[in-house]
Amino acid sequence: MTDKQSIDIAQLPVMAEAAQQSYPTATLYVVATPIGNATDITLRALHLLALADVVACEDTRKTGALLTRYGLNKQMVAAHQHNEREVADKLVARLRAGERVALVSDAGTPAVSDPGARIVDAVRAAGLRVIPLPGASAAVAALSASGLVNDRFNFVGFLPAKSKQRESALMALAREPATLVIYEAPHRIVDCVEALASVFEPARQVVFARELTKMFEEVHRCPLGEALDWVKSDQHRERGEFVVLVEGATVETDAQDAEAERILNILLGECSVKQAANLTAQITGRKKNALYERALQIKGE
């Protein structure tokens, strides 16, 4: 972009519209911030942040650095997962005094796999106004670049950190026809892929969207059976925040799962849980670990 083009954009009428909109006082503004590229901030968010009396944020250092890039110097208060309830009361008091409060997370939208939901709940319970200012979304960005053709998606967020709980959570999603949207931290990406491979069939398409909007952004799609090799083939692929998309179950998969369930129930009447899972896996070709987890669930019902 040339300097002339930059000047032309700055003079477009839309640049003034943000300032002309209404930004009522005594209101909590839930503000989405960039997930990596600082220029993904919206004009409306910039104007609101300039007007805000205080910015409630996860990490004052990170948010302070971001605000500085926009030429803003605002009062901030830490609002993270360990102090949300306490901070919520203080923010409600400030709102009742007529202030504008901006709620942000380190990146993306507050209260969506990030702190903020308890604050929003407390503000609503106090009868005060909450206005969302949408912006960049890692989940939507990953879906848009995935090529997975599906009108539905199931936002799973972060899976449990413990292996048994993680497998159980995935088992409950095994027949879900919608695309699964999973967030994962770099130090758990290998565990995540191994858990996916133990539950879902290897032909399922999986998409890894890593470091979205950042310098080393990468979006890779492959069958689940090839996913672990891809992750491990480059040490850099175990760095950065991930969005993992898993293709939804097909009607054929649902039918196969139903047949496996029928066989498993029959065998559980004659065999131990382990034997029933092993035999069902041999008969149907389904994942033994997933069948074992399901057998435990059936026994507990």
Side-chain angles (χ1 to χ4, degrees), residues 84-85 88-89 92 96 117-128:
E84 265 194 272
R85 293 194 184 282
D89 292 337
V92 166
R96 283 178 170 153
R118 290 184 178 87
I119 291 172
V120 173
D121 182 54
V123 171
R124 287 199 170 280
L128 296 162

Side-chain angles (χ1 to χ4, degrees), residues 67-127:
L67 293 176
T68 297
R69 296 182 73 177
Y70 303 132
L72 299 173
N73 182 17
K74 308 298 296 185
Q75 180 185 357
M76 292 177 289
V77 58
H80 45 74
Q81 61 179 338
H82 303 298
N83 73 345
E84 265 194 272
R85 293 194 184 282
E86 176 188 348
V87 171
D89 292 337
K90 295 178 180 179
L91 295 179
V92 166
R94 299 187 72 142
L95 291 168
R96 283 178 170 153
E99 293 189 0
R100 295 184 184 94
V101 177
L103 174 64
V104 304
S105 61
D106 285 347
T109 304
V112 180
S113 287
D114 269 331
R118 290 184 178 87
I119 291 172
V120 173
D121 182 54
V123 171
R124 287 199 170 280

Side-chain angles (χ1 to χ4, degrees), residues 10-288:
Q11 292 175 348
L12 287 174
V14 71
M15 303 297 283
E17 289 183 21
Q20 294 170 357
Q21 295 182 22
S22 174
Y23 297 91
T25 57
T27 300
L28 176 71
Y29 293 87
V30 183
V31 185
T33 54
I35 58 176
N37 192 317
T39 61
D40 285 339
I41 191 79
T42 69
L43 299 178
R44 189 167 168 232
L46 278 177
H47 192 72
L48 183 279
L49 288 170
L51 288 175
D53 296 288
V54 63
V55 177
C57 53
E58 277 189 88
D59 187 324
T60 56
R61 293 167 300 179
K62 289 184 179 179
T63 298
L66 182 66
L67 293 176
T68 297
R69 296 182 73 177
Y70 303 132
L72 299 173
N73 182 17
K74 308 298 296 185
Q75 180 185 357
M76 292 177 289
V77 58
H80 45 74
Q81 61 179 338
H82 303 298
N83 73 345
E84 265 194 272
R85 293 194 184 282
E86 176 188 348
V87 171
D89 292 337
K90 295 178 180 179
L91 295 179
V92 166
R94 299 187 72 142
L95 291 168
R96 283 178 170 153
E99 293 189 0
R100 295 184 184 94
V101 177
L103 174 64
V104 304
S105 61
D106 285 347
T109 304
V112 180
S113 287
D114 269 331
R118 290 184 178 87
I119 291 172
V120 173
D121 182 54
V123 171
R124 287 199 170 280
L128 296 162
R129 191 171 182 182
V130 178
I131 294 179
L133 273 64
S137 165
V140 174
L143 284 164
S144 72
S146 71
L148 296 175
V149 182
N150 196 332
D151 292 334
R152 298 171 53 200
F153 67 87
N154 182 336
F155 180 72
V156 179
F158 288 96
L159 291 168
K162 294 184 177 179
S163 59
K164 285 293 184 182
Q165 294 174 348
R166 184 166 51 238
E167 280 197 14
S168 295
L170 290 174
M171 273 292 300
L173 297 165
R175 299 181 188 178
E176 172 61 65
T179 299
L180 302 179
V181 181
I182 299 167
Y183 284 174
E184 193 53 90
H187 65 279
R188 286 204 302 263
I189 189 60
V190 170
D191 291 339
C192 174
V193 175
E194 289 176 341
L196 289 171
S198 74
V199 174
F200 301 113
E201 57 275 13
R204 284 249 198 139
Q205 291 290 302
V206 62
V207 177
F208 296 97
R210 186 178 71 87
E211 291 287 82
L212 286 173
T213 79
K214 300 175 185 176
M215 182 179 295
F216 299 107
E217 174 183 272
E218 186 172 20
V219 180
H220 177 77
R221 175 173 161 176
C222 64
L224 183 53
E226 301 173 8
L228 190 59
D229 286 342
W230 179 81
V231 171
K232 289 187 172 182
S233 66
D234 186 339
Q235 62 179 353
H236 296 294
R237 289 177 184 152
E238 294 182 45
R239 299 176 183 174
E241 300 298 322
F242 282 84
V243 181
V244 181
L245 307 179
V246 182
E247 183 182 25
T250 62
V251 174
E252 180 183 358
T253 298
D254 286 343
Q256 292 171 344
D257 284 345
E259 178 64 7
E261 179 102 353
R262 185 184 72 82
I263 294 171
L264 185 62
N265 274 285
I266 293 171
L267 292 173
L268 281 172
E270 305 294 332
C271 309
S272 68
V273 168
K274 185 176 181 179
Q275 289 174 321
N278 287 342
L279 289 171
T280 304
Q282 292 176 38
I283 295 168
T284 65
R286 314 305 286 171
K287 292 287 186 179
K288 182 172 64 177

